[in-house]
Amino acid sequence: MKSKIFILVCFTALMASCAGNKNENSESSSSDEPKASTSIVELNAQQREALNLQLGTIQMRNLTTLVKTNGKLEVPPSSSAEVTAVIGGNVKEIKVFQGDKVSRGQTLALLEHPDYITLQEDFAETANKLEFVTAEYNRQKELFENNVGAGKDFQQVKSEYNTVKAKYQGLKSRLRLLNLSPESVLKGNISSVVPVVSPINGYVNEVNVKLGTYVDATEKLFCIADDRDIHADFLVYENDIFLVKNGQKVDFTVANRPGEELSATIFAVGKEFEPNSRAIPVHAKLDRNPGNLIPGMYVSGHINTDRNNVPTLPNEAIVKEGIKSFIFVLDDSDSNSEDTSKQSRSNADIMKFKMVEIVVGKQDEGYTEIKLLSPLPENTKIVINAAYYLLAEMKKEETGEE
């Protein structure tokens, strides 16, 4: 009897011990099991401002058949001018400064020299002589036609008339090249200075003169460029030139506009190599001129040789966790709620972002091809920068870290 009681007590203790171990294992298993991820991260206005958080949408870009290229901004020959003096002279006055906007015909500087006065005097003298010779020529012509005058006299007067007339026209053209009025000179207005004028509209890029210095007809006094017709010149190497043709789009960036991508359309492809490289120049007209572009600025971009566009996002919009890739989209599922509680109003500056799994493809020029595993609603706002910070913030929320 005592042995039966002892066996029963041992069995009861054993069962209680097993039950206790089972509860401990259950609690231990429960505590060790990670919490289920909600895939939602919340940011207030201050956090978004500190991150400079930007929202955007999926962009269609060509990342398949591209020709990478570099170059610089240029203006066409008809929009650029180097101003020189027609006849040498001393600089009396400079009327413009580097960077000034000028119009066609505007005076840039004044030159003076005794030769200018001599030229005007010669023109006035020749004009008076031409008047006399013309009258004599008409008189001898009339006599010759009426068989009164000798043919020899008429030929001599005619020769002198043509010589004086040619000299008159030549001096008149020289005055106009110097931007002096022949009509004013004939009225007795002799000028000791001549203006140097701008041949085009544009901006003064160079001023290479000083007061009092003598300049001749070969010296470059001013450089003027009209940047309204600025375009991009790219260099393409011979192994890629067969892919390039007129009408193709070029996406490029400029150093003074970081983060902004511009586009241009090819309108001409060169037919010979650059002297110092095995590259062909390719000219592209800007689709939009944002301003503040200066000829000579270096550009870097790629030519879209086909139209195989794919959905893309900036690299900063994509994060990896393990072998999977994710993006964050704005979760506005609560925006249609009619809850007007005090707590809801106090959290009005909170924005929620949901992590969405994607599959990534090719990468180029800071963009990555993406493929959605499930479609997103139209015009869904996507975080296009600081995605890694959102992932870290979500992890803190899951683990309860501060």
Side-chain angles (χ1 to χ4, degrees):
M1 184 63 178
K2 289 182 180 181
S3 62
K4 288 183 178 180
I5 294 173
F6 176 77
I7 292 172
L8 180 60
V9 171
C10 289
F11 178 78
T12 303
L14 179 61
M15 292 298 293
S17 175
C18 290
N21 291 338
K22 182 178 181 180
N23 290 337
E24 286 182 22
N25 291 336
S26 177
E27 290 176 2
S28 175
S29 176
S30 176
S31 61
D32 292 341
E33 184 179 349
K35 297 180 181 179
S37 173
T38 60
S39 300
I40 297 290
V41 59
E42 297 181 353
L43 296 180
N44 58 35
Q46 184 178 359
Q47 289 173 308
R48 298 196 302 271
E49 183 178 357
L51 288 174
N52 189 25
L53 196 72
Q54 300 176 18
L55 300 178
T57 57
I58 295 175
Q59 302 178 26
M60 302 300 294
R61 297 174 62 87
N62 186 349
L63 299 182
T64 53
T65 309
L66 301 174
V67 174
K68 294 186 177 181
T69 180
N70 296 307
K72 60 182 179 178
L73 298 178
E74 296 287 359
V75 293
S78 60
S79 298
S80 178
E82 293 182 353
V83 184
T84 61
V86 178
I87 300 177
N90 297 90
V91 180
K92 182 180 181 179
E93 186 177 351
I94 302 173
K95 292 184 172 290
V96 295
F97 195 75
Q98 186 176 7
D100 285 350
K101 183 178 181 180
V102 295
S103 303
R104 181 176 182 178
Q106 180 178 336
T107 300
L108 307 177
L110 294 177
L111 303 181
E112 61 179 356
H113 197 274
D115 289 348
Y116 303 153
I117 300 174
T118 303
L119 177 62
Q120 296 172 79
E121 291 175 343
D122 289 346
F123 174 73
E125 182 181 345
T126 303
N128 292 330
K129 187 176 182 179
L130 178 61
E131 185 179 355
F132 171 78
V133 172
T134 302
E136 182 64 19
Y137 167 75
N138 291 332
R139 189 177 70 84
Q140 289 293 338
K141 181 180 180 182
E142 185 179 355
L143 292 175
F144 178 75
E145 290 175 350
N146 292 326
N147 296 320
V148 177
K152 181 179 179 181
D153 295 338
F154 173 68
Q155 291 297 328
Q156 185 176 358
V157 171
K158 181 179 179 181
S159 175
E160 185 179 5
Y161 166 75
N162 289 334
T163 301
V164 175
K165 184 180 179 180
K167 184 177 181 180
Y168 170 83
Q169 294 295 343
L171 291 172
K172 186 177 181 179
S173 298
R174 292 180 69 183
L175 289 177
R176 286 179 172 168
L177 284 174
L178 291 172
N179 299 297
L180 294 174
S181 171
E183 292 77 14
S184 179
V185 172
L186 292 177
K187 293 179 181 179
N189 300 319
I190 305 297
S191 175
S192 62
V193 298
V194 298
V196 178
V197 302
S198 173
I200 60 173
N201 300 322
Y203 291 88
V204 179
N205 291 334
E206 292 183 26
V207 178
N208 301 318
V209 294
K210 295 180 180 180
L211 290 177
T213 58
Y214 178 82
V215 295
D216 59 31
T218 62
E219 291 186 47
K220 180 175 61 176
L221 309 183
F222 303 93
C223 285
I224 300 173
D226 186 358
D227 59 6
R228 293 178 300 176
D229 297 326
I230 197 168
H231 68 276
D233 283 355
F234 298 98
L235 293 177
V236 178
Y237 291 99
E238 56 182 321
N239 57 328
D240 292 324
I241 196 63
F242 74 96
L243 296 169
V244 179
K245 60 184 179 181
N246 290 352
Q248 292 175 337
K249 292 291 184 180
V250 186
D251 296 321
F252 66 96
T253 56
V254 187
N256 73 329
R257 305 182 75 89
E260 180 179 357
E261 191 171 64
L262 304 177
S263 64
T265 303
I266 296 176
F267 67 86
V269 179
K271 301 302 180 183
E272 63 179 0
F273 293 107
E274 287 288 298
N276 299 323
S277 66
R278 299 293 296 176
I280 299 291
V282 175
H283 309 282
K285 182 179 180 181
L286 272 63
D287 296 335
R288 180 183 65 87
N289 188 343
N292 296 327
L293 298 181
I294 301 174
M297 283 184 169
Y298 286 96
V299 295
S300 176
H302 55 264
I303 302 172
N304 301 304
T305 58
D306 61 19
R307 299 185 181 276
N308 186 17
N309 291 331
V310 295
T312 65
L313 282 173
N315 293 344
E316 294 182 355
I318 302 170
V319 293
K320 285 190 174 182
E321 189 176 18
I323 61 173
K324 296 183 178 181
S325 298
F326 300 89
I327 60 175
F328 286 90
V329 302
L330 179 63
D331 184 12
D332 55 359
S333 57
D334 296 333
S335 61
N336 297 326
S337 175
E338 297 181 358
D339 181 15
T340 58
S341 65
K342 180 177 180 181
Q343 181 181 1
S344 179
R345 289 194 301 269
S346 64
N347 294 333
D349 67 335
I350 297 293
M351 293 180 68
K352 296 182 179 180
F353 301 95
K354 180 171 62 175
M355 191 164 69
V356 175
E357 184 179 355
I358 60 168
V359 176
V360 298
K362 295 185 177 182
Q363 293 185 355
D364 188 73
E365 297 290 336
Y367 286 83
T368 300
E369 176 187 2
I370 67 165
K371 299 176 183 178
L372 298 172
L373 299 182
S374 58
L376 294 174
E378 188 176 358
N379 297 324
T380 297
K381 295 297 182 182
I382 301 172
V383 176
I384 61 174
N385 68 330
Y388 275 104
Y389 179 87
L390 268 68
L391 178 63
E393 187 70 18
M394 187 182 70
K395 292 297 183 183
K396 287 197 300 183
E397 293 179 359
E398 291 178 1
T399 59
E401 296 180 3
E402 292 295 335

